[in-house]
Amino acid sequence: MVKSIFLFGEKGKTIIAYGILKKLILDGYKGCYFKPIAKARYRLPSLKYVDPDVIAVKDALGLQEPIEYLNPVTITRNIIELRRDLDNVKKMIMESYSKICEGRDVIVIEGYPNPEALSSIGLSSAELAKMLNAKAVFLVNVKERDVVDELADRIQLYKCFFEHQGYSLSGVILNNVPMYYIERVNDVIVPVLEEKGLNIYGIIPEKPSLTAPTVRDIVEALNAEVIENRDRLTNIVEDIVVGAMAPSAALRWFRRAVNAAIVTGGDRTDLIMAALETKPSVIILTGNLYPDISVLTKAREVGVPILLVPYDTYTTVEKLREVQSITTSDSLKAKESELIRTISENLNMKKLLE
Amino acid sequence: MKNDLESLFKPKSVAVIGASRDPSKLGYAVLKNIVDSGYRGRVYPVNPQADNIMGLKAYKSVLDIPDDVDVAVFVIPAPIVPEVLEECGRKGVKYAVIISAGFKEVGGEGVEREKRVVEIAKKYGVRVLGPNILGLIDTHTPINASFAYMPPRGGIAFVSQSGAYLSAIIDWSVKTGIGFSKIVSLGNKADLNEVDFIEYLANDSETKVILLYLESIANPRKFIEVASEAVRKKPVILIKGGMTEAGARAALSHTGSLAGGPQIVQAAMKKAGIVLVSEPTEFFDSAIAFSLTSSLPGDRIAIVTNAGGPGVMTADLVALAGLRLAQLTPQTISYLRSKLPPMAALNNPIDVIGDAKADRYEVALDAVLNDPNVDAAIVIFTPQVISEPEKTAEVIIEMQKKYPQKPILAAFIGGPRVEKAIEILKSAGIPVYESNDRVVAALAIMNRYRVMRERVMKIAEALNELSSLANVDKRCVEAIIDRVRSDGRRVLLESEAKDLVKCYGVAVAPTKLARTEEEAVRIANELGYPVVLKIASPDITHKTDVGGVIMNVKSDSEVEDAFRTIIANVRRYAPQAAIHGVVVQKMVPKGREVIIGTTKDPEFGHLIMFGLGGIYTELFRDVSFRLAPLSTYEAREMIAETKAYTLLKGFRGEKPADIESIVNTLLRVSKLVIDVPQIVEMDINPLFVYDEGAGSLAIDVKIVIE
């Protein structure tokens, strides 16, 4: 009997799903990923009409199944029109699902980005979970709330919603908990949730390095030219620092940043040299201004990748911010060990698989 | 292999690889220079296509030379240098002077090529000068192994990172009569660099003063070491290129160097005792003085002039330059009064007036140089109708012979009438200048050297007597740093930073990190009320600006409230900041605020800063800098240097502050960054300093590691 976990809710689903699967696979389970309905995004230029998250997980886990089985339904613009074709859609989902269940013990199913998605046409998270006979787990992103107690309200809402649809919400995973909320979450919020009969499958503390992109992700997203240290693209980028000040002040700024992407004009040799001293994850040169030879020599010495982009600094930083929210197979693999450690320490896998 | 550079400057045999018969080629120019310079050793042109060049037997390869070769000069295209160097290595050549360009300075494969050169040289024990240089000149040997003209012989050694500049200087020297002992073009500094040459020249009896033009310093620490040794024996004067932003940018494109900021260079030069000048005229005017006269015994100057105006002007300039106008003894004055006309001014400047002939100059000079209160004399001569310029020159020469310990510098102001006199003075080795401001500038630099030298000796003494500081625990520091690193951070939290400096005996206000409200309350009770709560975040430098500090917290409920408020404030005003908790610190009595900071310069190492806190540092920039390691002499000096020192000493009835405690803290901070160089930035701001005897406490400490 294949066990399945339906993970829906807020930001962080893909990474957590990947982490859970990876851990299970390491523990000897035969696991697979399934995303019944996905939103197609055009962010990465080489892909069309597919959800890049699915590609990321497929590549990172090395899943052999074709994309259509892992993700049978994609939505580009319209949802309501699907209502006419509802039976067919449900059939497609069930067929793909049974295909990937073959020879597997555990399936981790990821829901659509918004938890209430497709409720208007009868394909809500509750419906899907019921259809796939999966354990429904709500993933909460604790950090994004000013008033942390609000998460209990939201969970209550979904609990009621599920019950209304004739299915039950098994429990929650509280993800991305900042250190100043941990006390309150543990002492005040968790008891309230448990009172309601919900299982707390995990309380995962905030770990910024897990959401950070790699230099390769950035190269692709920015369409950048790599002009030095092509073999260092797996560095993760956790911070963005813009170099625009005098070099003496710059050194003090750059030193404080860990795993940073330092963005500056290619003609600012003085700043770039200062930046190289602090060994950041990557230096991005803007305005298509090719740097001085001395810069490249030094970059080679210290092993920092140098990228060249045609945009100005502001545009470059905006694009960098967008990359920070995309998952790619590269970044998943780069964070694997930390992710697995975090999951092992903070998630109750045993309870999850009951 | 003995590498004392003796064979480089005084080689017994020289091979010119790439020597040419074609007068338009560099290989021709260099060979000709060697021959024409009067070099008495054996010269071997090497050129596979010639049997005989300039009457000398030519060889196809250096390996064919039936003799030892001390120095091989390379004037061949860069791509074939490595293989030829290989041959030289096998031959046992001691020094390779590689004039050829096309190495690190052009980037790309040039970098690789230079690496190969270094490897090959190392393999055979050959020392390399260059590549990419003008060449090497020694006027005493004599030998001119360069493509520049041979300069006049003298006592100045000039070591330069710019080859082209050297050529210009040599040309200029002919005009001005400056003489050089040695000229070295450093080029890319692939092997031999300024450190090697300073060491050699310090002990070279033919060199009286060492001049340096550098854009980068190859090994800054060693540089300071050898320079401060050299300074004890003779002046070392440096023009550093790339001191300003614009200059730095230009310098970067020169030989691929990174320029350090001006404060650090000044601090380093001060430590080394090197006189740093910014203008080329200062450079050479002072070099002339240094190379010709004995060193300045003191800063008390006597001026002898035949024109009142220039005399007074010079007196002003002397004062402005930080020198002193000598106070003549009553005996000298009465002697002068008896010998000079009644209108003559006697109170330094001594004005022998416009109708003076050489004899009055003689009387005046003899008297002032004999005066125990006079260390050196400036002679100002303006051509008047009765003046005797040449005879006056002879008088000066005689007086200098009579009083060899007290330098005489002359300013002969005029045109054709003083030309001959100037020549006479030059040939006799008396420094003579065209104007009074230049003579004073030269004297000022001589004085700077005198002061620097004294200081260098005092520092060496102070370092020797510096007893080891008690209460320093390096392992304690390393443990804290390891923990921070494993957390993936470079910036320490306040509690960690304070613990770290405590490991080196710096007294801190008791502080602990609280991650929860409960913990904060517990710590507050442990430390004792009242307390201060501050946000603990590596991303926030100015805590008060984001509402991250709450002072005077007096009870448990206030602690909980303050904790929550601080978190809320920081989330609002610095939403991107990573929050690790809140530090709880015991409130201590207020003292005088000072700031002690260090920052690591990639070239020179750690620079230590001191200043009075608040507006004194931020607004008035009343700060002093020194390079670590600090001696007690320097620590005291840097505190006394600030204008705010007067306040620390006790001003208008206020008690003096515990300055010893500041000295102690500075020494501990210096030792800390020397022992643990991974600390790239540290700021103790503020350090509360209490009254004399009551010590000091670090209230906030920030540390960044690399």
Side-chain angles (χ1 to χ4, degrees), chain A residues 143 145-146 179-181 183 246-247 251-252 254-258 269-270 273 277-279 293 297 300, chain B residues 106-107 245 249 258 488 490-491 515-518 541 571 579-581 599-600 602 680-681 683 704:
Chain A
K143 183 167 185 187
R145 297 176 161 78
D146 273 345
M179 146 280 137
Y180 43 83
Y181 280 159
E183 203 181 4
L251 197 60
R252 300 196 75 147
F254 297 157
R255 272 178 175 153
R256 298 180 119 81
V258 184
T269 312
D270 47 357
M273 293 303 241
E277 282 292 329
T278 60
K279 300 203 180 55
I293 293 167
T297 314
R300 201 177 306 167
Chain B
V106 299
E245 298 261 348
R249 269 193 276 266
L258 173 67
R490 283 187 193 169
V491 181
R515 285 182 216 276
T516 64
E517 284 171 31
E518 231 175 78
T541 32
R571 290 200 67 207
I579 298 174
H580 289 250
T599 178
K600 184 176 180 185
V680 294
E681 309 246 342
D683 275 298
V704 180

Side-chain angles (χ1 to χ4, degrees), chain B residues 286-367:
Chain B
S286 56
I288 298 172
F290 280 123
S291 65
L292 300 174
T293 65
S294 61
S295 46
L296 206 57
D299 60 353
R300 297 163 304 176
I301 314 296
I303 303 171
V304 178
T305 173
N306 70 346
V312 167
M313 269 197 278
T314 308
D316 281 341
L317 289 169
V318 160
L320 283 170
L323 298 155
R324 285 186 291 166
L325 272 181
Q327 263 308 37
L328 299 174
T329 62
Q331 294 93 307
T332 309
I333 297 183
S334 54
Y335 173 76
L336 285 172
R337 190 167 293 131
S338 69
K339 294 288 185 165
L340 294 174
M343 303 80 76
L346 303 176
N347 262 318
N348 197 13
I350 292 103
D351 186 351
V352 294
I353 51 181
D355 62 343
K357 293 202 193 154
D359 60 322
R360 264 191 233 159
Y361 269 101
E362 187 170 357
V363 163
L365 263 178
D366 201 1

Side-chain angles (χ1 to χ4, degrees), chain A residues 5 16 20 23-24 27 135 137 172-174 194 199-204 341-354:
Chain A
I5 301 160
I16 298 291
I20 294 176
K23 173 97 177 75
L24 289 173
D27 288 348
K135 178 183 278 189
V137 177
V172 302
I173 297 177
L174 301 176
E194 284 176 335
N199 286 306
I200 313 293
Y201 291 114
I203 301 174
I204 304 177
R341 194 172 353 137
T342 308
I343 298 241
S344 315
E345 285 168 11
N346 299 290
L347 217 63
N348 191 337
M349 293 294 252
K350 202 160 151 288
K351 224 201 282 190
L352 202 55
L353 292 171
E354 270 164 13

